[in-house]
């Protein structure tokens, strides 16, 4: 064996060489997501931290006392007004989630199993109402449910009522109806995606083994589509708790939700710490409720199999 030439440094084996930082898979992945990560930190995480910090302070007219206190959370959790508004908001979000998913599932099922080569067209058609402004759609329901609106005119024309009903608008029912329509498409899409992933041979095997349509749906289709149902519930439930526009336009005094109280604290009342405490309390309770709903739906799916 000959010795290496003088002045020439032997390189380490190729497998022991350290790859430059920007050439590793992890670093390239980090460089790819870093702009989005920075954007999310600046415009999502930082505002949440600021709201959380404000919730522990006290407002004194135009100045804020930054002494740590839990008085805002005591008010948010014990004051009957805020407690009732929060409970109403949670109840409305659960109702909207239930009705939205109940109405969206048959539509998604039809498109997935009966749509054939026209699935794309059907998905396109259900998005047409959402080409218009959200505010315009809410105002449309105000016209439909109003005292002299379309629904009252139909009921009177059919002889079901002798005079227009005042129970259709400016209450919790009007808020539920309007929000159910507003979030319908957002529930259809995740359920459709989940149904599309189901292996159709499983249904054929169930039929060969003697299962009828209802039994195969209960034991195969519904459990396997549960991820889409869970996604739809989360997509609908979480935003509806904090909806502000719909209760203002169609809810009246009986349909006011917690978002209106939060807006009032940040606006007319100029009590940012209390508004921040209401916001944080709402987020925490909604997170806990969402986790409970997810675990409940997954438990139901396991029992159906």
């Amino acid at each position: 064996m000959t010795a290496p030439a003088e002045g020439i440094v032997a390189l380490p084996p190729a497998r022991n060489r350290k790859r430059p930082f920007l050439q590793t898979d992890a670093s390239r992945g980090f460089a790819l997501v870093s702009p989005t990560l920075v954007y999310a930190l600046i415009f999502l995480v930082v505002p949440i931290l600021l709201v959380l910090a404000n919730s522990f302070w006290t407002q004194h007219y135009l100045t804020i006392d930054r002494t740590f206190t839990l008085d805002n959370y005591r008010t948010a959790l014990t004051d009957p007004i805020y407690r009732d508004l929060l409970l109403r908001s949670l109840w409305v979000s659960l109702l909207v989630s239930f009705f939205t998913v109940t109405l969206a599932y048959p539509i998604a099922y039809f498109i997935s199993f009966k749509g054939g080569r026209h699935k794309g067209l059907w998905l396109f058609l259900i998005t047409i109402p959402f080409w218009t402004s959200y505010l315009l759609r809410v105002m449309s329901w105000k016209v439909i449910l109003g005292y002299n609106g379309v629904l009252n005119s139909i009921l009177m024309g059919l002889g079901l009522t002798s005079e227009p009903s005042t129970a259709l608008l400016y209450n919790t029912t009007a808020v539920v109806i309007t929000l159910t329509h507003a979030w319908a498409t957002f529930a259809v899409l995740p359920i459709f995606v989940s149904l599309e992933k189901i292996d159709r041979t499983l249904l054929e095997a169930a039929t060969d083994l003697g299962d009828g349509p209802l039994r195969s749906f209960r034991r195969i289709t519904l459990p396997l589509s549960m991820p889409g149902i869970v996604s739809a519930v989360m997509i609908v439930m979480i935003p509806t708790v904090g909806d502000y526009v719909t209760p203002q336009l169609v809810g009246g005094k009986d349909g006011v939700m917690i978002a209106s109280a939060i807006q009032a604290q940040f606006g007319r009342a100029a009590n940012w710490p209390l508004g921040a405490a209401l916001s944080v309390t709402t987020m925490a309770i909604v997170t806990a409720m969402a986790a409970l709903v997810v675990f409940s739906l997954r438990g139901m799916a396991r029992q159906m199999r």
Side-chain angles (χ1 to χ4, degrees):
M1 178 180 293
T2 59
E6 186 177 355
I8 298 178
V9 179
L11 296 175
R15 63 176 180 273
N16 294 331
R17 298 176 189 169
K18 292 184 178 181
R19 300 173 64 184
F21 177 74
L22 293 179
Q23 293 184 4
T24 62
D25 294 337
S27 60
R28 285 199 295 266
F30 180 77
L32 182 64
V33 303
S34 57
T36 306
L37 180 62
V38 172
Y39 180 87
L41 289 175
I42 294 176
F43 294 102
L44 181 62
V45 177
V46 173
I48 291 177
L49 293 177
L50 291 176
V51 170
L52 183 62
N54 271 272
S55 67
F56 297 110
W57 298 339
T58 306
Q59 183 86 28
H60 294 297
Y61 189 49
L62 296 178
T63 62
I64 293 181
D65 181 4
R66 291 179 170 80
T67 304
F68 180 85
T69 180
L70 294 175
D71 291 342
N72 297 315
Y73 286 99
R74 294 191 188 96
T75 303
L77 294 174
T78 59
D79 192 299
I81 296 177
Y82 301 129
R83 186 176 63 245
D84 292 344
L85 287 178
L86 181 57
L87 291 176
R88 178 188 295 171
S89 301
L90 297 175
W91 176 241
V92 167
S93 68
L94 288 175
L95 286 177
V96 172
S97 301
F98 173 78
F99 288 121
T100 302
V101 172
T102 302
L103 295 174
Y105 196 98
I107 299 174
Y109 184 90
F110 172 81
I111 297 175
S112 179
F113 286 87
K114 307 296 182 180
R117 59 189 181 89
H118 300 296
K119 294 179 181 179
L121 177 61
W122 284 111
L123 291 175
F124 171 77
L125 291 176
I126 66 173
T127 62
I128 290 178
F130 297 87
W131 292 1
T132 59
S133 168
Y134 177 80
L135 182 61
L136 182 60
R137 283 183 277 127
V138 175
M139 294 298 295
S140 299
W141 277 105
K142 192 173 182 178
V143 173
I144 294 172
L145 301 174
Y147 185 78
N148 295 317
V150 177
L151 188 55
N152 269 321
S153 299
I154 293 175
L155 293 176
M156 293 178 62
L158 295 176
L160 298 177
T161 58
S162 58
E163 60 182 11
S165 174
T166 59
L168 299 177
L169 191 62
Y170 299 127
N171 50 40
T172 303
T173 302
V175 176
V176 172
I177 293 174
T178 306
L179 287 176
T180 299
H181 170 261
W183 291 95
T185 297
F186 298 98
V188 170
L189 296 178
I191 297 175
F192 169 77
V193 172
S194 184
L195 290 171
E196 282 290 281
K197 294 180 180 180
I198 296 177
D199 188 353
R200 300 309 195 254
T201 58
L202 296 175
L203 301 175
E204 296 174 1
T207 302
D208 294 338
L209 293 174
D211 280 354
L214 292 177
R215 185 176 175 84
S216 62
F217 173 80
R218 183 177 62 84
R219 297 184 60 188
I220 298 175
T221 306
L222 186 58
L224 293 180
S225 63
M226 193 59 70
I229 296 176
V230 171
S231 299
V233 170
M234 294 298 101
I235 290 173
V236 174
M237 184 179 68
I238 294 175
T240 53
V241 174
D243 194 286
Y244 168 76
V245 175
T246 302
Q248 287 288 106
L249 293 178
V250 302
K253 65 181 181 62
D254 295 329
V256 177
M257 294 170 62
I258 191 64
S260 298
I262 296 174
Q263 187 275 338
Q265 294 301 324
F266 280 102
R268 294 187 300 272
N271 191 346
W272 287 28
L274 181 55
L278 290 171
S279 302
V280 174
T281 302
T282 303
M283 286 190 294
I285 294 177
V286 169
T287 301
M289 186 176 70
L292 179 62
V293 170
V294 169
F295 287 130
S296 300
L297 292 176
R298 289 181 176 177
M300 291 173 55
R302 287 193 295 267
Q303 291 179 359
M304 290 177 183
R305 295 176 182 175

